PDB file of all heavy atoms in Angstrom:
ATOM      1  N   ILE A  47     130.010 -39.475 -47.121  1.00 95.00           N
ATOM      2  CA  ILE A  47     129.185 -39.810 -48.281  1.00 95.00           C
ATOM      3  C   ILE A  47     127.942 -40.547 -47.794  1.00 95.00           C
ATOM      4  O   ILE A  47     127.948 -41.178 -46.744  1.00 95.00           O
ATOM      5  CB  ILE A  47     129.926 -40.655 -49.339  1.00 95.00           C
ATOM      6  CG1 ILE A  47     130.252 -42.043 -48.809  1.00 95.00           C
ATOM      7  CG2 ILE A  47     131.158 -39.959 -49.865  1.00 95.00           C
ATOM      8  CD1 ILE A  47     130.484 -43.032 -49.914  1.00 95.00           C
ATOM      9  N   SER A  48     126.899 -40.443 -48.575  1.00 95.00           N
ATOM     10  CA  SER A  48     125.655 -41.137 -48.276  1.00 95.00           C
ATOM     11  C   SER A  48     125.300 -41.993 -49.478  1.00 95.00           C
ATOM     12  O   SER A  48     125.266 -41.496 -50.605  1.00 95.00           O
ATOM     13  CB  SER A  48     124.548 -40.113 -48.000  1.00 95.00           C
ATOM     14  OG  SER A  48     123.342 -40.775 -47.742  1.00 95.00           O
ATOM     15  N   ILE A  49     125.029 -43.247 -49.219  1.00 93.00           N
ATOM     16  CA  ILE A  49     124.682 -44.182 -50.285  1.00 93.00           C
ATOM     17  C   ILE A  49     123.224 -44.589 -50.111  1.00 93.00           C
ATOM     18  O   ILE A  49     122.864 -45.174 -49.091  1.00 93.00           O
ATOM     19  CB  ILE A  49     125.590 -45.430 -50.244  1.00 93.00           C
ATOM     20  CG1 ILE A  49     127.059 -45.034 -50.384  1.00 93.00           C
ATOM     21  CG2 ILE A  49     125.177 -46.432 -51.326  1.00 93.00           C
ATOM     22  CD1 ILE A  49     128.034 -46.155 -50.130  1.00 93.00           C
ATOM     23  N   PRO A  50     122.370 -44.256 -51.075  1.00 92.00           N
ATOM     24  CA  PRO A  50     120.962 -44.669 -50.972  1.00 92.00           C
ATOM     25  C   PRO A  50     120.831 -46.169 -51.184  1.00 92.00           C
ATOM     26  O   PRO A  50     121.347 -46.713 -52.161  1.00 92.00           O
ATOM     27  CB  PRO A  50     120.268 -43.877 -52.075  1.00 92.00           C
ATOM     28  CG  PRO A  50     121.346 -43.409 -52.991  1.00 92.00           C
ATOM     29  CD  PRO A  50     122.638 -43.455 -52.251  1.00 92.00           C
ATOM     30  N   LEU A  51     120.164 -46.838 -50.256  1.00 89.00           N
ATOM     31  CA  LEU A  51     119.982 -48.289 -50.349  1.00 89.00           C
ATOM     32  C   LEU A  51     118.533 -48.685 -50.594  1.00 89.00           C
ATOM     33  O   LEU A  51     118.250 -49.861 -50.803  1.00 89.00           O
ATOM     34  CB  LEU A  51     120.463 -48.967 -49.060  1.00 89.00           C
ATOM     35  CG  LEU A  51     121.929 -48.814 -48.691  1.00 89.00           C
ATOM     36  CD1 LEU A  51     122.223 -49.504 -47.369  1.00 89.00           C
ATOM     37  CD2 LEU A  51     122.823 -49.344 -49.788  1.00 89.00           C
ATOM     38  N   ALA A  52     117.614 -47.732 -50.531  1.00 85.00           N
ATOM     39  CA  ALA A  52     116.188 -48.036 -50.717  1.00 85.00           C
ATOM     40  C   ALA A  52     115.996 -48.745 -52.055  1.00 85.00           C
ATOM     41  O   ALA A  52     116.481 -48.301 -53.087  1.00 85.00           O
ATOM     42  CB  ALA A  52     115.367 -46.749 -50.672  1.00 85.00           C
ATOM     43  N   GLY A  53     115.330 -49.875 -52.005  1.00 83.00           N
ATOM     44  CA  GLY A  53     115.101 -50.666 -53.205  1.00 83.00           C
ATOM     45  C   GLY A  53     116.267 -51.552 -53.599  1.00 83.00           C
ATOM     46  O   GLY A  53     116.158 -52.346 -54.527  1.00 83.00           O
ATOM     47  N   LYS A  54     117.415 -51.413 -52.909  1.00 85.00           N
ATOM     48  CA  LYS A  54     118.599 -52.204 -53.232  1.00 85.00           C
ATOM     49  C   LYS A  54     118.957 -53.182 -52.118  1.00 85.00           C
ATOM     50  O   LYS A  54     119.635 -54.173 -52.353  1.00 85.00           O
ATOM     51  CB  LYS A  54     119.787 -51.281 -53.497  1.00 85.00           C
ATOM     52  CG  LYS A  54     119.553 -50.337 -54.653  1.00 85.00           C
ATOM     53  CD  LYS A  54     120.672 -49.330 -54.750  1.00 85.00           C
ATOM     54  CE  LYS A  54     120.347 -48.289 -55.811  1.00 85.00           C
ATOM     55  NZ  LYS A  54     121.273 -47.179 -55.804  1.00 85.00           N
ATOM     56  N   SER A  55     118.541 -52.847 -50.879  1.00 83.00           N
ATOM     57  CA  SER A  55     118.841 -53.684 -49.727  1.00 83.00           C
ATOM     58  C   SER A  55     117.739 -53.511 -48.692  1.00 83.00           C
ATOM     59  O   SER A  55     117.151 -52.434 -48.577  1.00 83.00           O
ATOM     60  CB  SER A  55     120.178 -53.272 -49.110  1.00 83.00           C
ATOM     61  OG  SER A  55     120.414 -54.007 -47.931  1.00 83.00           O
ATOM     62  N   SER A  56     117.493 -54.556 -47.926  1.00 86.00           N
ATOM     63  CA  SER A  56     116.466 -54.482 -46.884  1.00 86.00           C
ATOM     64  C   SER A  56     117.028 -54.036 -45.544  1.00 86.00           C
ATOM     65  O   SER A  56     116.271 -53.843 -44.597  1.00 86.00           O
ATOM     66  CB  SER A  56     115.781 -55.840 -46.734  1.00 86.00           C
ATOM     67  OG  SER A  56     116.721 -56.798 -46.298  1.00 86.00           O
ATOM     68  N   ILE A  57     118.343 -53.843 -45.434  1.00 89.00           N
ATOM     69  CA  ILE A  57     118.911 -53.505 -44.129  1.00 89.00           C
ATOM     70  C   ILE A  57     118.678 -52.054 -43.728  1.00 89.00           C
ATOM     71  O   ILE A  57     118.625 -51.738 -42.552  1.00 89.00           O
ATOM     72  CB  ILE A  57     120.411 -53.841 -44.023  1.00 89.00           C
ATOM     73  CG1 ILE A  57     121.245 -53.006 -44.995  1.00 89.00           C
ATOM     74  CG2 ILE A  57     120.658 -55.323 -44.188  1.00 89.00           C
ATOM     75  CD1 ILE A  57     122.738 -53.087 -44.749  1.00 89.00           C
ATOM     76  N   ALA A  58     118.568 -51.148 -44.700  1.00 92.00           N
ATOM     77  CA  ALA A  58     118.395 -49.723 -44.394  1.00 92.00           C
ATOM     78  C   ALA A  58     118.041 -48.991 -45.678  1.00 92.00           C
ATOM     79  O   ALA A  58     118.160 -49.535 -46.777  1.00 92.00           O
ATOM     80  CB  ALA A  58     119.673 -49.151 -43.796  1.00 92.00           C
ATOM     81  N   ASP A  59     117.627 -47.736 -45.518  1.00 93.00           N
ATOM     82  CA  ASP A  59     117.368 -46.881 -46.674  1.00 93.00           C
ATOM     83  C   ASP A  59     118.601 -46.080 -47.067  1.00 93.00           C
ATOM     84  O   ASP A  59     118.732 -45.665 -48.211  1.00 93.00           O
ATOM     85  CB  ASP A  59     116.209 -45.933 -46.393  1.00 93.00           C
ATOM     86  CG  ASP A  59     114.877 -46.663 -46.386  1.00 93.00           C
ATOM     87  OD1 ASP A  59     114.752 -47.663 -47.114  1.00 93.00           O
ATOM     88  OD2 ASP A  59     113.967 -46.247 -45.645  1.00 93.00           O
ATOM     89  N   TYR A  60     119.486 -45.831 -46.095  1.00 94.00           N
ATOM     90  CA  TYR A  60     120.728 -45.101 -46.371  1.00 94.00           C
ATOM     91  C   TYR A  60     121.876 -45.726 -45.604  1.00 94.00           C
ATOM     92  O   TYR A  60     121.709 -46.204 -44.486  1.00 94.00           O
ATOM     93  CB  TYR A  60     120.631 -43.638 -45.927  1.00 94.00           C
ATOM     94  CG  TYR A  60     119.720 -42.802 -46.774  1.00 94.00           C
ATOM     95  CD1 TYR A  60     118.424 -42.541 -46.362  1.00 94.00           C
ATOM     96  CD2 TYR A  60     120.161 -42.267 -47.987  1.00 94.00           C
ATOM     97  CE1 TYR A  60     117.577 -41.776 -47.137  1.00 94.00           C
ATOM     98  CE2 TYR A  60     119.317 -41.499 -48.762  1.00 94.00           C
ATOM     99  CZ  TYR A  60     118.028 -41.249 -48.334  1.00 94.00           C
ATOM    100  OH  TYR A  60     117.188 -40.492 -49.104  1.00 94.00           O
ATOM    101  N   MET A  61     123.056 -45.688 -46.219  1.00 94.00           N
ATOM    102  CA  MET A  61     124.299 -46.010 -45.538  1.00 94.00           C
ATOM    103  C   MET A  61     125.155 -44.760 -45.627  1.00 94.00           C
ATOM    104  O   MET A  61     125.399 -44.244 -46.717  1.00 94.00           O
ATOM    105  CB  MET A  61     125.019 -47.183 -46.196  1.00 94.00           C
ATOM    106  CG  MET A  61     126.334 -47.522 -45.516  1.00 94.00           C
ATOM    107  SD  MET A  61     127.174 -48.927 -46.281  1.00 94.00           S
ATOM    108  CE  MET A  61     126.015 -50.232 -45.916  1.00 94.00           C
TER     109      MET A  61
END
Side-chain angles (χ1 to χ4, degrees):
I47 67 158
S48 179
I49 301 170
L51 298 178
K54 300 172 187 171
S55 175
S56 64
I57 64 168
D59 287 330
Y60 289 99
M61 179 179 295

